[in-house]
């Protein structure tokens, strides 16, 4: 049985979920709590980063490594193109998304949401252990300070993240030029990775969590400024998720 250790809210974990489900692989989700997750993660793999996939006595850490592992072990619905040049380009897009898009989306989102305990706490604890809400509520001030420090979340970095996302969206839409996919003529790890890491900007149903009914400012206004460039992400979620 495949077992995925994850945060339901994490867009990097969403990459792994999407790959597993696209390949129609049965798996078990193990939802961990931010902070306390580190002990379990480091018992399984080299660092505390999630997601971690456990399969056949092996533990594969990081979403990109998980996609490569799944393509190697399970031939159904490959996400890496057969053509070597297309494969290289797909991996390059995934690397760009992992490095540039994912952290920026996370930072921009948490810059606002961490000030709204009533919104972010359910996002952090959905599907987790029964004691999660109580534990995270008690530790919330410490969690917020730790996250802001570790991720360098402040007004200046949030403005930089917004600009980085805007430039990435322009790059993506220019590359697509009206085409459906970033690489070749089929859905690949490039499309999956970019769409999954942008997904919190559109809060799609297929993501697998209950999104808040109302998005607070300034995040709501920031998301509105991206709306006209996110139609492709919505299309992929509607048709491939």
């Amino acid at each position: 049985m495949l077992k995925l250790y994850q945060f339901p809210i994490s867009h990097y974990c969403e990459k792994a979920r999407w790959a597993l489900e696209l390949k129609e692989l049965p798996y078990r989700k193990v939802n961990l709590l931010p902070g306390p997750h580190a002990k379990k993660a480091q018992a399984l793999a080299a660092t505390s980063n999630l997601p971690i996939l456990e399969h056949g006595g092996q533990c594969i850490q990081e979403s990109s490594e998980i996609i490569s592992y799944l393509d190697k072990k399970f031939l159904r619905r490959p996400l890496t193109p057969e053509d070597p040049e297309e494969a290289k380009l797909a991996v390059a897009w995934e690397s760009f998304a992992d490095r540039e898009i994912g952290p920026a989306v996370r930072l921009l989102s948490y810059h606002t949401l961490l000030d709204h305990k009533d919104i972010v706490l359910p996002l952090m604890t959905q599907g987790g252990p029964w004691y999660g809400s109580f534990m995270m509520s008690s530790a919330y001030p410490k969690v917020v300070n730790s996250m802001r420090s570790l991720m360098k979340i402040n007004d200046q970095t949030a403005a930089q993240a917004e600009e980085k996302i805007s430039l990435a969206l322009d790059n993506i839409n220019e590359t697509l030029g009206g085409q459906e996919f970033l690489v070749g003529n089929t859905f690949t790890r490039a499309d999956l990775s970019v769409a999954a890491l942008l997904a919190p900007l559109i809060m799609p149903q297929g993501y697998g969590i209950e999104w808040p009914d109302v998005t607070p400012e300034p995040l709501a206004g920031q998301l509105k400024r991206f709306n006209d460039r996110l139609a492709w992400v919505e299309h992929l979620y509607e048709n491939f998720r």
Side-chain angles (χ1 to χ4, degrees), residues 75-152:
L75 300 182
R76 179 181 176 84
R77 192 59 184 85
L79 285 162
T80 306
E82 290 186 13
D83 179 82
E85 290 303 313
E86 289 189 354
K88 186 183 299 184
L89 185 56
V91 169
W93 268 108
E94 181 178 23
S95 177
F96 169 75
D98 286 345
R99 185 180 66 253
E100 300 293 331
I101 296 174
V105 169
R106 181 175 57 202
L107 191 154
L108 187 67
S109 299
Y110 279 133
H111 179 249
T112 293
L113 294 180
L114 288 177
D115 289 333
H116 297 269
K117 180 180 176 181
D118 60 320
I119 293 177
V120 79
L121 201 59
L123 294 176
M124 289 181 172
T125 58
Q126 279 183 42
W130 63 267
Y131 54 82
S133 294
F134 174 77
M135 174 185 285
M136 292 298 291
S137 181
S138 300
Y140 193 71
K142 183 177 180 180
V143 169
V144 169
N145 289 337
S146 177
M147 290 178 68
R148 288 196 182 279
S149 175
L150 288 172
M151 298 181 193
K152 298 180 173 60

Side-chain angles (χ1 to χ4, degrees), residues 1 18 20-21 25 42 44 47 54 60 63 78 87 100 123 134 139 145 168 175 183 187 229:
M1 167 66 77
W18 194 343
L20 285 159
E21 291 164 23
L25 296 171
Q42 290 173 336
L44 293 168
T47 72
E54 187 176 15
I60 304 91
S63 57
E100 300 293 331
L123 294 176
F134 174 77
N145 289 337
T175 299
V183 178
F187 183 82
R229 290 171 287 171

Side-chain angles (χ1 to χ4, degrees), residues 24-237:
E24 299 181 352
L25 296 171
Y27 71 103
R28 178 188 165 201
K29 298 173 186 173
V30 181
N31 298 331
L32 303 179
L33 297 174
H37 81 283
K39 183 176 180 180
K40 181 63 177 179
Q42 290 173 336
L44 293 168
T47 72
S48 62
N49 292 345
L50 296 182
I52 296 172
L53 182 70
E54 187 176 15
H55 179 240
Q58 297 185 70
C59 287
I60 304 91
Q61 190 169 42
E62 307 289 359
S63 57
S64 57
E65 295 298 323
I66 288 171
I67 290 174
S68 295
Y69 177 83
L70 293 176
D71 265 358
K72 182 178 179 180
K73 293 291 185 179
F74 303 97
L75 300 182
R76 179 181 176 84
R77 192 59 184 85
L79 285 162
T80 306
E82 290 186 13
D83 179 82
E85 290 303 313
E86 289 189 354
K88 186 183 299 184
L89 185 56
V91 169
W93 268 108
E94 181 178 23
S95 177
F96 169 75
D98 286 345
R99 185 180 66 253
E100 300 293 331
I101 296 174
V105 169
R106 181 175 57 202
L107 191 154
L108 187 67
S109 299
Y110 279 133
H111 179 249
T112 293
L113 294 180
L114 288 177
D115 289 333
H116 297 269
K117 180 180 176 181
D118 60 320
I119 293 177
V120 79
L121 201 59
L123 294 176
M124 289 181 172
T125 58
Q126 279 183 42
W130 63 267
Y131 54 82
S133 294
F134 174 77
M135 174 185 285
M136 292 298 291
S137 181
S138 300
Y140 193 71
K142 183 177 180 180
V143 169
V144 169
N145 289 337
S146 177
M147 290 178 68
R148 288 196 182 279
S149 175
L150 288 172
M151 298 181 193
K152 298 180 173 60
I153 301 173
N154 54 58
D155 291 347
Q156 180 180 0
T157 57
Q160 292 168 350
E162 184 177 1
E163 178 64 17
K164 185 171 287 190
I165 294 167
S166 184
L167 290 172
L169 289 172
D170 287 343
N171 184 13
I172 291 161
N173 282 283
E174 182 179 349
T175 299
L176 287 167
Q179 297 181 351
E180 189 173 16
F181 306 114
L182 287 168
V183 178
N185 298 313
T186 189
F187 183 82
T188 70
R189 63 194 300 161
D191 308 297
L192 183 153
S193 300
V194 172
L197 294 179
L198 287 169
L201 304 181
I202 63 167
M203 303 184 188
Q205 288 186 344
Y207 196 93
I209 64 169
E210 294 182 22
W211 295 104
D213 294 329
V214 177
T215 303
E217 295 289 356
L219 182 59
Q222 292 161 336
L223 299 187
K224 190 174 182 179
R225 289 193 284 276
F226 298 141
N227 276 350
D228 62 337
R229 290 171 287 171
L230 289 166
W232 174 75
V233 178
E234 293 176 350
H235 170 77
L236 293 187
Y237 265 85

